[in-house]
């Protein structure tokens, strides 16, 4: 197997995959078999479909190379409407120096984005969907899906922009004042009708298939290059003065009398006039009368840059064709870079020729001035129509591929599901139809310069996200991010982010703000839908979180812990989750933003010759966490006994300074186990659970797989409690939580108040108990944390929809904290003691009611027992012998009598006996004290958890 991987890494992997078809063409059947095997292996490594039929069909659909699939389409999109229709607008309103600088700025921003695209596209196999595919597989489905939607609309606006440019070129040549012929009617709605006809033509081409456009791309590109060549040659050939007519579409000049602009030929004075800004003292870079005659609005730098940038946003056209490229990992980088360099040089050349030959008045009032100076006027018209038409067509193809990828990934659920159903082979017919309809809607905006602003901002935001994806990969230091394209770094991605973000707000702060808000709303919606649980693509957020968490965990030093910032870090040992659901949910409320670990011991011996039994159960436990909606980690271990497994978990759970400090155990008694997975009235019923990821367990697996029978003896159970204390951890024993109805306690419409009760007295040694001791303060701290808890849950309204509602509940609003102070007649001053406790609670910022409880009638049984049956020496030898049944039953009655409206009771857990022979008696006494009570937590603390200092 190792040998078979070597050629894959040295061939296909070099260019990020996708080069299979080229490698197999012209190879005999015998030689083709191992190549197909290597190809399928590479696809399995990249997460693609490895079935033979689908892979072979996929290769046959990849027919485009670097020239036809990337270089030519990108060049056509970069030239588009800008080259023939808006060079005069840009040079005339900015001057040559500022126009060249602005173009360089735009291409610099594009260059940083291109470098990021090249890096991502050479880091693995690129499928259909282009930029959306790369962003979503890098940033994850939430952010990638949101960016994909914005990039889809960017292509829609861009297609409408180029369609409008095509209409403008046709009307200028064949309208009522056409330079070639006059047979087209002019007007806003006529222009909309012409644009609709062009959009319908694009739709027909797309329905036939992108392959037809690809076959014509080289021909169209050759025609456009020929027309550009004619424009460039026209400047030196026509090196004499020419009067160029101002178009009839300019109402400002033609409202009084018709004027001509002057083409001077090469002139130093003309170059000097056009070299600097027309008005360096004004904030607005205005034309002769301050308006753009196409839209009748004041020309500003932001508007000019928006028009310029919208014309050069076609750098991702090649990436959008990734599904049709033979070798996308090779074609996308080099085709995009070469086309960007080529188009930039052409623009610079034409800018210089224009500034040196055309007077300022002509440039500002005749955007299609090239027609009047060309060696043969129809060349310009042909160039305008072919460049804009091909750019419009490539953008509508790109938008349909992005929408098809969104539908295939089911990012937006039913909103895009039906679009994906309508397809013909690999042609996404449904996506094409939707794209064409949306382009039709954008055409209603009218005016090339109006649409350009929206197009630029949509693309800038999309490019910003591409740079963000590359920056995240670089910062995450993921070992698998090793693109073969090396000419990028984190600072190129950072400059791309800054440049794109700044230019968005320069062009239009309001539109940029709206687009950013749209992006955030989409991210939030997708986050609520949790597509990341359905699509295991890997999210850059997880890599970045890991990188940061590791760094901060190293900074988190346990030696610097201070009691002021103590928080509970819980390890809840769970034997049978069927009966432990309420306790798991309750502990989630008790953790107060601390560490929460669910621990389970699987009885057995791992001999290394079979699969790890703990690993087999881990997905089921993760499904349990998802089902119960608790913020917990899971630790499963294998041990010969539960006690041995507990030692493992207590010692190794957590990481660094984030380790459990409090261990919670369910109580060992003979109560029948209740199954909350199957009980119909249970909020934890698994019939309402739907697995959300491929690794999650199904409801049946969850109900059948997570169960255990430990058979723990009383000696082993109490020994576990003793072990936890010996290991320096606080311990909590939890009983009766199967009775807890948290929904009833936290119900907002209920007028009943519930109580959280604290009994800070050691009932096994009442004379020695200290309500200011470590355990008593720990009791009060946990009770206070529970009283402060807020429960926030996001829940589906129905099983079959994506509608959510937020449920926020508060223990503070529904419960009151009570501290019971056991007083006896022998106390020197019960009132003073009560005041002292009240003062202590005030100093600790604990809002609780103190309830004095007389208990002379109960403690008298201890005195009776000591005097009648045992001497003091005998009692010391057996620390539990002085506790008779009358006393224990009396304590139980005292607590239960005060617990009518109690939600949770916190009791002082006495320390375990030193003599293991007394373990069964110890457990028996705890059982008798807590019989019949409400949900009870018995607590023993060994470390300080609160302080009165600031």
């Amino acid at each position: 197997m190792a040998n078979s991987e070597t050629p894959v890494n040295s061939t296909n992997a070099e260019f990020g995959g996708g080069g299979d078809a080229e490698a197999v063409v012209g190879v005999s059947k015998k030689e083709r078999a191992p190549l197909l095997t290597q190809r399928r292996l590479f696809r399995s490594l990249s997460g693609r479909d490895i079935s033979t039929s689908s892979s072979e069909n996929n290769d046959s659909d990849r027919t485009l190379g670097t020239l036809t699939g990337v270089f030519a389409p990108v060049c056509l999109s970069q030239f588009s409407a800008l080259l023939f229709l808006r060079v005069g607008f840009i040079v005339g309103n900015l001057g040559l120096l500022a126009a060249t600088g602005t173009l360089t700025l735009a291409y610099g921003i594009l260059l940083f984005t291109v470098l990021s695209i090249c890096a991502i596209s050479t880091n693995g196999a690129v499928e259909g969907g282009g930029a959306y595919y790369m962003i979503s597989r890098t940033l994850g489905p939430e952010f990638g899906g949101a960016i994909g939607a914005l990039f889809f609309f960017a292509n829609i606006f861009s297609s409408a922009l180029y369609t409008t440019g095509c209409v403008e070129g046709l009307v200028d040549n064949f309208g009522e004042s056409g330079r070639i012929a006059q047979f087209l009617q002019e007007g806003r709605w006529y222009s909309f009708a012409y644009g609709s006809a062009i959009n319908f033509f694009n739709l027909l081409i797309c329905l036939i298939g992108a392959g037809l456009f690809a076959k014509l791309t080289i021909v169209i590109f050759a025609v456009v290059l020929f027309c550009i060549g004619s424009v460039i040659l026209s400047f030196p050939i026509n090196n004499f003065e020419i009067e160029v007519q101002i178009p009839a579409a300019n109402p400002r000049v033609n409202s009084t009398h018709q004027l001509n602009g002057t083409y001077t030929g090469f002139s130093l004075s003309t170059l000097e006039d056009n070299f600097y800004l027309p008005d360096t003292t004004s904030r607005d870079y205005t034309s002769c009368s301050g308006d753009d005659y196409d839209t009748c609005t004041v020309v500003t730098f932001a508007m000019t840059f928006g028009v310029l940038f919208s014309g050069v946003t076609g750098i991702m056209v090649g990436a959008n064709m990734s599904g049709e490229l033979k070798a996308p990992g090779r074609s996308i980088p080099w085709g995009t870079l070469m086309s960007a360099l080529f188009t930039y040089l052409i623009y610079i050349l034409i800018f210089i020729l224009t500034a040196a030959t055309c007077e300022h008045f002509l440039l500002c009032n005749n955007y299609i001035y090239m027609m009047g100076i060309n060696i043969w006027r129809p060349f310009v018209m042909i160039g305008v129509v072919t460049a804009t038409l091909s750019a419009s067509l490539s953008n509508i193809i790109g938008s349909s591929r992005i929408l098809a990828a969104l539908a295939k990934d089911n990012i937006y659920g039913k909103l895009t599901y039906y679009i994906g159903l309508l397809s013909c082979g690999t042609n996404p017919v449904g996506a094409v139809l939707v794209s064409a309809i949306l382009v039709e809607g954008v055409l209603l905006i009218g005016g090339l310069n109006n649409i350009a602003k929206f197009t630029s901002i949509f693309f800038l935001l999309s490019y910003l996200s591409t740079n963000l994806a590359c920056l995240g990969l670089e910062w995450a230091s993921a070992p698998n991010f090793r693109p073969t394209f090396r000419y990028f770094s984190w600072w190129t991605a950072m400059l791309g982010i800054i440049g794109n973000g700044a230019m968005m707000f320069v062009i239009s702060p309001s539109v940029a703000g709206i687009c950013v808000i749209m992006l955030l709303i989409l991210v939030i919606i997708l986050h609520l839908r949790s597509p990341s649980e359905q699509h295991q693509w890997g999210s850059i957020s997880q890599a970045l979180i890991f990188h940061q968490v590791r760094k901060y965990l190293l900074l988190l030093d346990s030696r610097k812990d201070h009691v002021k910032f103590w928080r509970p870090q819980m390890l809840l040992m769970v034997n049978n989750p069927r009966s432990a659901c309420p306790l798991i949910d309750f502990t989630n409320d008790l953790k107060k933003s601390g560490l929460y670990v669910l621990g389970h011991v699987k009885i057995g011996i791992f001999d290394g010759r079979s699969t790890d039994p703990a690993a087999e159960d881990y997905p089921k436990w993760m499904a349990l966490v998802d089902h119960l909606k608790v913020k917990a980690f899971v630790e499963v271990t294998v041990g010969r006994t539960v006690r041995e497994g507990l030692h493992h978990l207590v010692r190794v759970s957590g990481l660094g300074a984030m380790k459990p400090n409090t261990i919670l155990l369910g109580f060992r008694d003979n109560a029948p186990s209740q199954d909350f997975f199957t009980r119909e009235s249970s909020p934890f019923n698994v019939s309402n659970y739907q697995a959300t990821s491929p690794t999650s367990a199904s409801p049946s697996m969850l109900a059948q797989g997570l169960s255990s029978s430990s058979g723990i003896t009383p000696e082993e159970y109490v020994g576990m409690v003793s072990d936890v204390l010996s290991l320096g951890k606080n311990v909590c024993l939890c009983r009766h939580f199967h009775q807890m109805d948290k929904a009833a306690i936290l119900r907002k419409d209920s007028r009943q108040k519930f109580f959280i009760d604290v009994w800070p007295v050691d009932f096994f040694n009442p004379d020695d108990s200290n309500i200011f001791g470590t355990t008593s303060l720990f009791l009060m701290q946990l009770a206070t944390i529970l009283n402060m808890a807020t429960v926030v849950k996001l829940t589906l309204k129905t099983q079959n929809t994506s509608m959510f509602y937020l449920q926020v509940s508060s223990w503070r609003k529904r419960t009151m904290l009570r501290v019971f102070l056991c007083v006896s007649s022998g106390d020197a001053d019960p009132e003073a003691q009560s005041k002292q406790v009240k003062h202590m609670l005030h100093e600790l910022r604990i809002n609780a009611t103190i309830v004095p409880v007389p208990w002379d009638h109960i403690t008298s049984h201890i005195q009776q027992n000591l005097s009648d049956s045992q001497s003091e020496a005998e009692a010391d030898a057996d620390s539990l012998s002085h506790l008779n049944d009358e006393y224990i039953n009396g304590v139980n009655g005292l607590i239960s009598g005060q617990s009518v409206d109690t939600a949770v009771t916190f009791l002082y857990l006495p320390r375990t006996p030193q003599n293991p022979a007394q373990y069964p008696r110890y457990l028996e006494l705890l059982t008798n004290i807590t019989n019949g009570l409400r949900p009870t937590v018995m607590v023993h603390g060994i470390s300080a958890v609160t302080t009165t200092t600031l």
Side-chain angles (χ1 to χ4, degrees):
M1 185 65 181
N3 293 335
S4 66
E5 292 180 358
T6 304
V8 177
N9 292 331
S10 61
T11 55
N12 293 342
E14 181 182 353
F15 302 112
D20 322 334
E22 289 180 326
V24 176
V25 172
V27 179
S28 66
K29 271 189 180 179
K30 197 172 196 180
E31 297 171 328
R32 188 179 303 176
L35 292 176
L36 291 176
T37 302
Q38 293 175 11
R39 179 182 60 200
R40 287 195 292 271
L41 172 61
F42 180 72
R43 288 201 169 151
S44 68
L45 293 174
S46 62
R48 295 154 66 184
D49 185 10
I50 61 173
S51 62
T52 304
S53 59
S54 63
S55 63
E56 288 178 355
N57 292 336
N58 194 28
D59 286 331
S60 64
D61 296 328
R62 293 177 177 268
T63 58
L64 303 182
T66 303
L67 178 64
T68 57
V70 182
F71 182 81
V74 171
C75 286
L76 289 173
S77 293
Q78 294 289 89
F79 289 142
S80 61
L82 182 65
L83 182 67
F84 296 103
L85 297 178
R86 286 299 180 269
V87 168
F89 172 81
I90 293 168
V91 176
N93 285 289
L94 291 180
L96 176 62
L97 180 63
T100 304
T102 304
L103 181 72
T104 304
L105 174 63
Y107 266 87
I109 293 172
L110 294 176
L111 176 62
F112 295 134
T113 305
V114 169
L115 296 179
S116 296
I117 294 173
C118 295
I120 296 174
S121 64
T122 59
N123 191 52
V126 180
E127 297 293 320
Y132 156 71
Y133 182 90
M134 292 186 284
I135 293 173
S136 62
R137 268 53 175 186
T138 303
L139 296 181
E142 291 94 345
F143 203 81
I147 290 298
L150 289 183
F151 195 63
F152 164 73
F153 283 109
N155 278 269
I156 292 295
F157 273 84
S158 186
S159 180
L161 174 77
Y162 299 143
T163 300
T164 303
C166 185
V167 170
E168 186 175 315
L170 290 173
V171 170
D172 283 344
N173 287 281
F174 301 102
E176 296 172 356
S177 302
R179 294 176 173 84
I180 296 177
Q182 295 85 28
F183 60 86
L184 292 178
Q185 298 292 319
E186 294 187 26
R188 174 181 173 82
W189 293 108
Y190 280 110
S191 295
F192 174 73
Y194 304 149
S196 300
I198 294 172
N199 187 35
F200 183 73
F201 172 77
N202 289 342
L203 174 62
L204 292 179
I205 297 296
C206 291
L207 291 177
I208 295 173
L212 176 62
F213 171 68
K215 293 175 183 178
L216 298 175
T217 298
I218 294 299
V219 177
I220 297 173
F221 184 52
V223 171
V224 172
L225 284 182
F226 186 82
C227 294
I228 293 173
S230 74
V231 171
I232 295 173
L233 290 175
S234 295
F235 288 100
I237 292 175
N238 295 329
N239 190 20
F240 50 84
E241 186 173 310
I242 300 175
E243 293 295 316
V244 181
Q245 181 180 345
I246 302 300
N250 188 335
R252 189 179 60 245
V253 174
N254 291 296
S255 59
T256 54
H257 58 280
Q258 186 167 337
L259 296 175
N260 295 328
T262 304
Y263 169 82
T264 64
F266 288 102
S267 169
L268 185 60
S269 61
T270 303
L271 180 62
E272 290 176 349
D273 289 341
N274 290 324
F275 191 76
Y276 297 105
L277 299 176
D279 183 6
T280 57
T281 62
S282 174
R283 177 67 177 169
D284 295 337
Y285 301 91
T286 60
S287 59
C288 297
S289 65
D291 293 333
D292 165 32
Y293 74 77
D294 184 47
T295 59
C296 296
T297 56
V298 176
V299 180
T300 64
F301 173 78
M303 177 182 179
T304 309
F305 182 83
V307 172
L308 185 150
F309 193 83
S310 67
V312 295
T313 54
I315 57 169
M316 284 194 178
V317 170
N320 291 342
M321 301 296 291
S322 58
E324 284 82 20
L325 295 173
K326 296 177 184 177
R330 178 177 56 195
S331 298
I332 292 174
W334 298 113
T336 306
L337 282 172
M338 292 301 102
S339 59
L341 177 62
F342 177 73
T343 55
Y344 174 74
L345 294 176
I346 294 295
Y347 273 119
I348 291 295
L349 177 60
I350 293 181
F351 276 13
I352 294 172
L353 294 175
T354 298
T357 57
C358 300
E359 67 172 13
H360 180 248
F361 180 83
L362 173 63
L363 297 178
C364 292
N365 292 282
N366 187 349
Y367 297 157
I368 197 168
Y369 70 95
M370 293 179 185
M371 180 77 71
I373 65 172
N374 201 268
I375 52 179
W376 190 55
R377 290 186 173 185
F379 279 152
V380 176
M381 183 273 297
I382 295 170
V384 170
V385 173
T386 53
T388 55
L389 188 61
S390 62
S392 173
L393 186 57
S394 64
N395 274 273
I396 201 170
I397 291 174
S399 63
S400 65
R401 277 9 181 214
I402 296 170
L403 183 58
L406 287 167
K408 179 182 178 182
D409 292 337
N410 195 30
I411 295 293
Y412 290 97
K414 292 184 178 179
L415 188 63
T416 56
Y417 172 74
Y418 296 105
I419 296 174
L421 292 179
L422 188 58
S423 63
C424 181
T426 59
N427 190 21
V429 175
V432 169
L433 291 172
V434 172
S435 299
I437 292 171
L438 292 177
V439 169
E440 192 71 15
V442 176
L443 289 174
L444 290 171
I445 296 176
L448 187 148
N449 291 0
N450 286 334
I451 300 175
K453 176 170 59 177
F454 295 93
T455 305
S456 296
I457 291 176
F458 274 126
F459 273 112
L460 281 166
L461 187 56
S462 302
Y463 295 164
L464 184 151
S465 304
T466 304
N467 286 288
L468 180 63
C470 191
L471 179 66
L473 285 168
E474 185 71 9
W475 276 0
S477 301
N480 281 320
F481 182 60
R482 44 181 187 270
T484 57
F485 184 85
R486 299 296 182 185
Y487 305 103
F488 81 100
S489 67
W490 69 267
W491 62 265
T492 61
M494 178 64 76
L495 289 175
I497 293 172
I498 295 173
N500 284 289
M503 288 301 107
M504 280 171 51
F505 288 93
V506 167
I507 293 173
S508 176
S510 57
V511 176
I514 291 172
C515 289
V516 171
I517 292 172
M518 287 174 55
L519 174 64
L520 294 177
I521 291 174
L522 287 173
V523 170
I524 292 171
I525 291 174
L526 291 176
H527 179 72
L528 296 180
R529 289 196 72 250
S530 300
S532 59
E533 297 178 353
Q534 305 170 20
H535 305 289
Q536 299 300 312
W537 299 335
S539 173
I540 188 63
S541 62
Q542 294 299 304
L544 288 172
I545 289 171
F546 178 89
H547 187 71
Q548 292 300 110
V549 166
R550 182 192 64 84
K551 181 172 69 174
Y552 286 115
L553 274 175
L554 292 172
L555 295 175
L556 191 61
D557 191 344
S558 60
R559 295 170 295 183
K560 299 178 182 179
D561 286 346
H562 194 280
V563 66
K564 287 191 298 184
F565 305 109
W566 180 91
R567 67 179 70 237
Q569 305 201 96
M570 307 287 197
L571 168 61
L572 173 62
M573 297 298 298
V574 180
N575 176 37
N576 185 357
R578 291 172 175 272
S579 57
C581 291
L583 178 57
I584 296 172
D585 188 52
F586 169 78
T587 309
N588 188 62
D589 295 343
L590 193 62
K591 70 181 186 302
K592 185 57 178 177
S593 302
L595 178 68
Y596 181 20
V597 180
L598 294 178
H600 177 72
V601 179
K602 196 169 176 106
I603 306 299
I605 300 175
F606 178 53
D607 56 10
R609 289 176 293 182
S610 58
T611 58
D612 182 8
E616 292 175 355
D617 279 0
Y618 190 80
K620 301 173 186 176
W621 282 92
M622 293 305 297
L624 175 72
V625 170
D626 292 339
H627 172 48
L628 299 181
K629 298 182 178 68
V630 294
K631 297 178 181 178
F633 299 97
V634 173
E635 291 287 354
V636 182
T637 189
V638 180
R640 293 179 176 85
T641 64
V642 174
R643 190 173 182 178
E644 178 186 301
L646 174 68
H647 296 166
H648 299 166
L649 294 175
V650 172
R651 285 193 175 97
V652 304
S653 292
L655 191 63
M658 289 194 67
K659 283 184 172 294
N661 55 32
T662 304
I663 314 302
L664 291 88
L665 303 173
F667 198 74
R668 185 198 180 281
D669 56 20
N670 296 321
S673 178
Q674 302 200 31
D675 192 346
F676 289 94
F677 284 171
T678 58
R679 184 193 293 178
E680 292 184 3
S681 60
S682 167
F684 312 108
N685 192 306
V686 293
S687 62
N688 298 324
Y689 171 66
Q690 292 183 345
T692 54
S693 72
T695 58
S696 295
S698 65
S700 60
M701 284 179 67
L702 188 62
Q704 297 172 11
L706 292 178
S707 62
S708 177
S709 177
S710 61
I712 301 175
T713 63
E715 291 82 1
E716 185 178 10
Y717 180 79
V718 180
M720 290 166 58
V721 177
S722 179
D723 293 344
V724 170
L725 296 174
S726 299
L727 289 168
K729 309 293 183 180
N730 308 306
V731 66
C732 298
L733 305 184
C734 306
R735 191 180 186 193
H736 301 310
F737 276 88
H738 63 279
Q739 300 176 2
M740 173 167 277
D741 186 356
K742 195 170 81 170
I745 296 172
L746 302 182
R747 188 177 294 122
K748 292 183 178 180
D749 57 355
S750 175
R751 295 183 179 180
Q752 181 183 4
K753 273 283 187 181
F754 290 88
F755 298 99
I756 299 174
D757 294 344
V758 179
W759 295 81
V761 57
D762 183 355
F763 289 114
F764 286 11
N765 297 284
D767 293 335
D768 298 327
S769 63
N770 180 5
I771 61 172
F772 302 108
T774 300
T775 295
S776 297
L777 292 177
F778 190 38
L779 274 170
M780 296 178 190
Q781 180 81 325
L782 289 182
T784 302
I785 289 172
L786 179 63
N787 184 241
M788 294 167 59
T790 299
V791 181
V792 180
K793 284 196 176 182
L794 195 65
T795 311
L796 277 168
K797 283 186 176 179
T798 64
Q799 297 181 17
N800 300 320
T801 67
S802 297
M803 301 297 293
F804 296 85
Y805 72 96
L806 195 65
Q807 181 182 5
V808 181
S809 306
S810 173
W811 282 84
R812 184 189 294 274
K813 292 182 179 180
R814 302 300 309 142
T815 60
M816 294 177 62
L817 187 59
R818 298 190 298 188
V819 176
F820 287 91
L821 188 60
C822 296
V823 297
S824 60
S825 58
D827 293 335
D829 188 353
E831 187 67 25
Q833 186 182 14
S834 180
K835 288 182 179 179
Q836 188 179 14
V837 174
K838 185 175 182 180
H839 177 72
M840 180 198 68
L841 295 178
H842 176 73
E843 290 293 317
L844 294 173
R845 290 89 62 205
I846 296 175
N847 185 19
T849 302
I850 299 174
V851 182
V853 180
W855 71 325
D856 284 334
H857 61 292
I858 297 173
T859 55
S860 62
H861 293 294
I862 298 179
Q863 297 169 357
Q864 177 82 31
N865 187 42
L866 283 173
S867 59
D868 291 350
S869 62
Q870 277 187 315
S871 66
E872 280 189 38
E874 292 172 334
D876 289 338
D878 187 355
S879 60
L880 301 179
S881 61
H882 63 289
L883 303 174
N884 58 20
D885 293 341
E886 288 81 1
Y887 169 73
I888 294 299
N889 293 335
V891 171
N892 176 261
L894 177 68
I895 298 173
S896 60
Q898 299 289 339
S899 304
V900 177
D901 296 322
T902 298
V904 182
T905 301
F906 287 87
L907 298 181
Y908 189 117
L909 176 66
R911 194 169 185 100
T912 55
Q914 294 184 359
N915 185 1
Q918 297 183 27
Y919 285 176
R921 175 61 177 166
Y922 175 85
L923 182 59
E924 179 186 358
L925 293 174
L926 293 180
T927 303
N928 292 337
I929 283 181
T930 56
N931 277 338
L933 297 183
R934 297 286 186 173
T936 303
V937 183
M938 291 170 276
V939 180
H940 191 95
I942 63 170
S943 58
V945 295
T946 187
T947 179
T948 60
T949 60
L950 184 62

